[in-house]
Amino acid sequence: MNNLEAKIRDYLADNLSILDSGLQLIKKEFPLKNEFGAGGFIDILARDVHGHLVVIEIKRSDQAARSALHELTKYVALLKSTQGISADRIRALLVSTDWRELAVPFSEYQRVCEVPTEGRVIETTGDGIVRSSRTFSVIALETPLNISRCQDIILFANKMARDQSLPLVISAAAAAGLNDFSVFHVSYEGQKSQVIYPFGLYLIFSSPLVSPHEVPDAFKEMGWDDELDDPDENFLCFFRSKLGPLGEESGVGYPEKLQKIIQDGWKVAAVHRNGRYAENSLLLSDDQLLAEATKAEGGAAYYLDRTVSPKYAPSWGAFGRDVDVVLVGNRQWREIFQLLLREAEVAAISTVSASIYNPTNILLSLVAMFRKSEVGYLPRFQLVFTDEGQVKIYIGILGWNGKKVPADGARWIEGAFGSLEDFMFFQHFGCLHDYDDKARELLGITSQVFEICDPGTPRQTISELVVEEGELVKKAVENNQFMSIVQFPKGNPSFGRTLVERIDSVSVGFGE
């Protein structure tokens, strides 16, 4: 929390009536401690006139929307578990000055959260004084829109050609069967002379395009390519066949690419909204649409923050598919996660909340650790199951078997990827996930998952989860059994030195 956000928290703690009349402060930064970093601090804990405990969270300016919602879910679960408070005695307030990214995920969250949760829009001064607050009005959409990870970009040498091509793109999208889609103008306003084509059209669309029973017929019409596993990728090929040659250069887009475009000095603005994206423009602004297209509030190929419930089949199914994408490259986590979701579905767990980070780039993770003790690039996840009867928290972290690595850094790169040049090739084309499991195994680095049942209570148990013959097996955790990956650099200093030297020999600033 930065200085301004801390001032807002302190001001609200002293003036809780701004948020709701009758609130009484219990504590700022209320601690919820637990093993494996599963705890945290509630920004403000209060009590209302009806005796409810009120969890008040202030969304940080640099925090993704769904990450804030995951934290809120976890804090409510830990409050129940560590303090013995039942769900019917808890309510929550999520407070933010900016609701552009929060609008859609919070509206979805209200359907699945276990306790009554209200959003509050606040207006503040530059010194953290809160002038007013009002209730956030949730967005009600009949069928959720979900922007596909498969997107399209067409580049042009001049603005006039780009603008004149917009009707052609719209027509081709409609001819290909799209209804819910939008087209952005992209214009380069940076200083890089390497940018040859500074104008573009960027297409996004909602997925799935068709219902499951319509898939075979749709594939037949598109001319299904067996080499493409994703139906949306096939659709883009179908769209391209309707569009024909256009522009100087074109390519497949995706959320991370769109985010990088924005960071590199491109201006992105919606110029056409079709279908429900046109109908809900008053509810879903252009800024919110762009945030959804970059997956800033939901997740991208390497991270995911989501709160869902098995009782809502469409969002539950989409959650399982998204998890499978984010965990690609980590076979063990992928398998355990899907088995846990199956258990949640069978047990009808009321709320499931996940926060996953999986960059599938162990080389970058290790270089950052050896160079400056940076652990932020290490893959990890948290999964929270909360139900009336019990709270369970699952933690995914990397471990180390404690055996000294015999090879030096350069030889490990060759054994894992073929060569450093091959590694860079795989990184450029987004296929490092095919090599990450092997790269970790060569170093004795393991992907561990721990289950914490009833955290913070006398009944608390901690187990390690493994898969045996397709089934989850719980094993007791001994004090001397676990060795964290953060101990790896200390146990292998020569390996780290040769790894960093090899990287520095071809790339300046890699891992900085």
Side-chain angles (χ1 to χ4, degrees):
M1 188 174 270
N2 64 32
N3 189 44
L4 176 59
E5 289 157 355
K7 288 181 178 179
I8 292 173
R9 178 202 60 205
D10 293 345
Y11 186 86
L12 286 175
D14 292 335
N15 300 272
L16 286 172
S17 60
I18 291 177
L19 298 177
D20 199 356
S21 60
L23 290 180
Q24 293 183 332
L25 177 68
I26 295 176
K27 186 176 176 59
K28 292 186 300 185
E29 292 289 286
F30 185 87
L32 293 167
K33 296 182 179 179
N34 202 263
E35 289 83 351
F36 298 99
F41 293 86
I42 298 173
D43 287 337
I44 301 173
L45 185 62
R47 181 175 283 108
D48 68 13
V49 293
H50 304 292
H52 296 98
L53 289 181
V54 184
V55 177
I56 302 172
E57 277 297 300
I58 302 166
K59 181 185 178 294
R60 300 193 308 272
S61 59
D62 62 345
Q63 185 180 32
R66 291 189 192 267
S67 176
L69 296 172
H70 169 76
E71 290 295 295
L72 191 59
T73 303
K74 182 179 70 173
Y75 293 158
V76 169
L78 286 173
L79 194 61
K80 288 171 49 185
S81 180
T82 62
Q83 307 298 317
I85 309 298
S86 62
D88 60 3
R89 294 178 55 201
I90 304 173
R91 47 186 285 243
L93 295 177
L94 183 61
V95 178
S96 181
T97 57
D98 187 351
W99 279 78
R100 288 175 298 176
E101 289 185 12
L102 276 168
V104 172
F106 183 77
S107 299
E108 296 171 354
Y109 179 81
Q110 278 209 329
R111 293 194 311 146
V112 301
C113 58
E114 187 184 18
V115 302
T117 303
E118 183 181 355
R120 301 295 295 180
V121 186
I122 60 172
E123 295 182 0
T124 66
T125 64
D127 54 0
I129 296 175
V130 180
R131 293 300 188 191
S132 65
S133 78
R134 59 181 172 85
T135 301
F136 169 73
S137 300
V138 299
I139 296 173
L141 297 176
E142 183 178 348
T143 305
L145 291 164
N146 178 44
I147 294 175
S148 173
R149 286 189 48 77
C150 294
Q151 301 165 7
D152 197 81
I153 185 170
I154 307 163
L155 294 174
F156 301 84
N158 64 78
K159 181 178 182 295
M160 181 179 294
R162 188 268 311 273
D163 294 352
Q164 291 176 344
S165 297
L166 176 61
L168 299 177
V169 172
I170 296 171
S171 177
L178 268 188
N179 184 51
D180 300 321
F181 69 90
S182 183
V183 183
F184 293 97
H185 272 172
V186 293
S187 306
Y188 185 64
E189 298 183 352
Q191 304 298 319
K192 293 181 179 179
S193 59
Q194 300 94 322
V195 176
I196 303 173
Y197 307 121
F199 303 97
L201 294 171
Y202 198 100
L203 173 73
I204 63 169
F205 56 92
S206 184
S207 178
L209 299 165
V210 294
S211 60
H213 71 273
E214 296 174 317
V215 167
D217 291 339
F219 288 172
K220 188 183 300 182
E221 182 182 357
M222 289 184 205
W224 177 255
D225 185 345
D226 291 331
E227 295 298 318
L228 298 177
D229 295 328
D230 191 332
D232 290 357
E233 290 184 15
N234 273 274
F235 170 76
L236 282 183
C237 293
F238 188 47
F239 160 74
R240 277 285 173 183
S241 71
K242 298 292 185 182
L243 182 63
L246 189 68
E248 277 73 42
E249 189 175 301
S250 62
V252 173
Y254 43 89
E256 299 85 2
K257 186 173 187 176
L258 181 56
Q259 185 65 47
K260 187 70 164 56
I261 284 173
I262 297 170
Q263 293 172 350
D264 285 349
W266 292 73
K267 181 180 179 181
V268 182
V271 291
H272 178 81
R273 296 170 63 136
N274 204 77
R276 285 179 293 167
Y277 287 122
E279 295 166 6
N280 68 13
S281 59
L282 292 178
L283 302 176
L284 186 69
S285 69
D286 287 351
D287 286 341
Q288 291 167 352
L289 183 62
L290 181 58
E292 289 233 330
T294 58
K295 298 293 183 183
E297 85 309 322
Y302 56 91
Y303 74 93
L304 177 71
D305 292 287
R306 193 80 52 83
T307 301
V308 294
S309 172
K311 64 183 177 181
Y312 296 107
S315 58
W316 180 252
F319 174 60
R321 292 189 295 273
D322 289 345
V323 165
D324 217 36
V325 170
V326 174
L327 289 181
V328 67
N330 193 313
R331 175 179 43 80
Q332 186 171 358
W333 279 358
R334 206 178 188 188
E335 191 173 3
I336 289 177
F337 217 105
Q338 291 299 340
L339 289 172
L340 287 172
L341 295 189
R342 189 185 307 168
E343 283 190 4
E345 188 172 348
V346 172
I349 299 296
S350 62
T351 307
V352 175
S353 187
S355 180
I356 310 170
Y357 175 69
N358 184 37
T360 59
N361 192 334
I362 191 61
L363 192 154
L364 175 61
S365 300
L366 291 176
V367 168
M369 273 212 310
F370 277 108
R371 183 165 294 184
K372 51 184 180 179
S373 301
E374 172 60 61
V375 297
Y377 291 101
L378 292 173
R380 57 195 178 271
F381 74 74
Q382 279 189 11
L383 181 65
V384 179
F385 286 3
T386 178
D387 214 18
E388 191 59 37
Q390 191 178 48
V391 171
K392 295 181 181 179
I393 297 180
Y394 299 91
I395 306 293
I397 49 180
L398 295 187
W400 174 44
N401 64 11
K403 298 180 180 179
K404 188 176 177 64
V405 178
D408 65 22
R411 289 189 178 180
W412 169 70
I413 292 173
E414 294 172 0
F417 307 102
S419 68
L420 185 55
E421 290 72 21
D422 288 334
F423 166 83
M424 292 179 172
F425 177 87
F426 300 147
Q427 179 176 243
H428 178 76
F429 286 98
C431 52
L432 274 178
H433 52 77
D434 291 333
Y435 302 87
D436 218 52
D437 271 334
K438 178 184 177 182
R440 292 192 310 274
E441 289 170 4
L442 288 174
L443 299 177
I445 295 175
T446 58
S447 301
Q448 297 177 295
V449 179
F450 297 93
E451 177 191 70
I452 309 172
C453 291
D454 297 312
T457 73
R459 304 184 307 278
Q460 174 177 292
T461 59
I462 302 177
S463 308
E464 183 176 4
L465 298 185
V466 297
V467 178
E468 294 181 358
E469 298 181 356
E471 300 291 334
L472 279 179
V473 176
K474 299 180 183 180
K475 297 189 174 182
V477 177
E478 304 293 341
N479 291 334
N480 60 354
Q481 176 182 337
F482 174 70
M483 183 167 284
S484 171
I485 184 63
V486 298
Q487 297 169 283
F488 183 84
K490 185 176 180 180
N492 296 278
S494 60
F495 170 83
R497 185 182 65 256
T498 55
L499 177 66
V500 172
E501 287 174 353
R502 180 69 182 101
I503 294 299
D504 287 345
S505 68
V506 297
S507 177
V508 176
F510 185 91
E512 291 288 353

